[in-house]
Amino acid sequence: MQAPLVAFLSSHVPLQHLYLNNNGLGPHAGIMVADALSSLHEKKVAARKEGKTVPDLETVICGRNRLESGSMLAWAKAFSLHTGIKEVKMVQNGIRTEGTVALIKDGLKNAKGLKVLDLQDNLFTIKGARALADAVLQWPEIEELAAADTLWGAKGAGVLAKALKKGQNKKLKVMRMQYNDVNAKGLEELTD
């Protein structure tokens, strides 16, 4: 399945929305898909130089694919190139803390127009919460932020709360943060 998919993804310049949910890709195929998206970016740039109207890649839904941390550097690179991305959902991929940090810090942080981010049921811990808190300051358009079941605890909630308190995310409407062992103090910081 992956060879024709990779060929298509790396060359289909009109691609705007990618939905690959629950395909069992694994880290190796995940790298191949992410690298194909990086190649696609080059083709989009070349087409624009030729005067063609080319849409940005706006949506990537790639959850439940066992992408794991091993593919996150490739995904970070793809997202660092596709800065017009508006919606990213990569739930339940077995991404560990180092992968989550790389994905956010080296990739998604560059997506200034990001509206929806869903990374539920991957591992953040406090390091991932810090990366998210730093990145959220770069996302003035963010409307929905989902990081439930990521084990960041009360300290992670506090770190994110401090970033949100700066008031740069006025369009934020939905936050999914359940199952993170947020205590009363963390909840108080978030509601403040």
Side-chain angles (χ1 to χ4, degrees):
M1 171 199 139
Q2 64 201 38
L5 177 64
V6 166
F8 173 77
L9 292 178
S10 62
S11 61
H12 189 65
V13 174
L15 184 67
Q16 281 183 273
H17 308 285
L18 176 61
Y19 297 87
L20 284 174
N21 229 25
N22 203 18
N23 301 102
L25 294 174
H28 179 69
I31 290 170
M32 294 173 68
V33 169
D35 286 346
L37 293 178
S38 293
S39 295
L40 175 65
H41 177 263
E42 292 173 20
K43 300 231 174 47
K44 284 181 179 273
V45 168
R48 287 181 184 123
K49 285 182 182 175
E50 294 172 3
K52 296 178 182 171
T53 302
V54 176
D56 286 332
L57 179 63
E58 293 182 8
T59 307
V60 172
I61 312 291
C62 193
R64 296 181 180 142
N65 274 304
R66 298 181 299 110
L67 297 177
E68 301 175 3
S69 296
S71 69
M72 288 304 106
L73 291 178
W75 282 101
K77 179 184 176 189
F79 288 129
S80 74
L81 296 170
H82 290 283
T83 57
I85 198 96
K86 293 181 180 168
E87 180 176 5
V88 174
K89 293 184 178 182
M90 298 179 79
V91 302
Q92 294 180 341
N93 271 308
I95 306 168
R96 313 276 310 158
T97 301
E98 66 279 0
T100 304
V101 170
L103 177 66
I104 295 169
K105 184 179 169 187
D106 300 329
L108 293 170
K109 185 177 179 179
N110 301 293
K112 307 294 184 200
L114 190 64
K115 292 183 177 185
V116 176
L117 178 62
D118 189 345
L119 295 175
Q120 295 182 88
D121 201 11
N122 290 295
L123 190 61
F124 274 58
T125 69
I126 188 67
K127 290 178 183 177
R130 285 186 185 120
L132 182 62
D134 184 45
V136 80
L137 298 173
Q138 309 302 314
W139 300 331
E141 302 298 316
I142 196 80
E143 295 174 5
E144 183 177 331
L145 192 56
D149 204 14
T150 59
L151 295 178
W152 66 20
K155 287 184 182 179
V159 167
L160 181 60
K162 285 177 187 155
L164 293 173
K165 201 171 188 178
K166 294 182 180 179
Q168 296 178 15
N169 307 103
K170 299 194 183 301
K171 296 182 180 180
L172 185 62
K173 297 175 189 168
V174 177
M175 288 179 62
R176 291 186 177 88
M177 305 292 157
Q178 66 271 23
Y179 309 115
N180 275 317
D181 295 325
V182 177
N183 61 17
K185 183 177 186 232
L187 184 59
E188 184 180 341
E189 288 174 320
L190 278 170
T191 56
D192 188 34

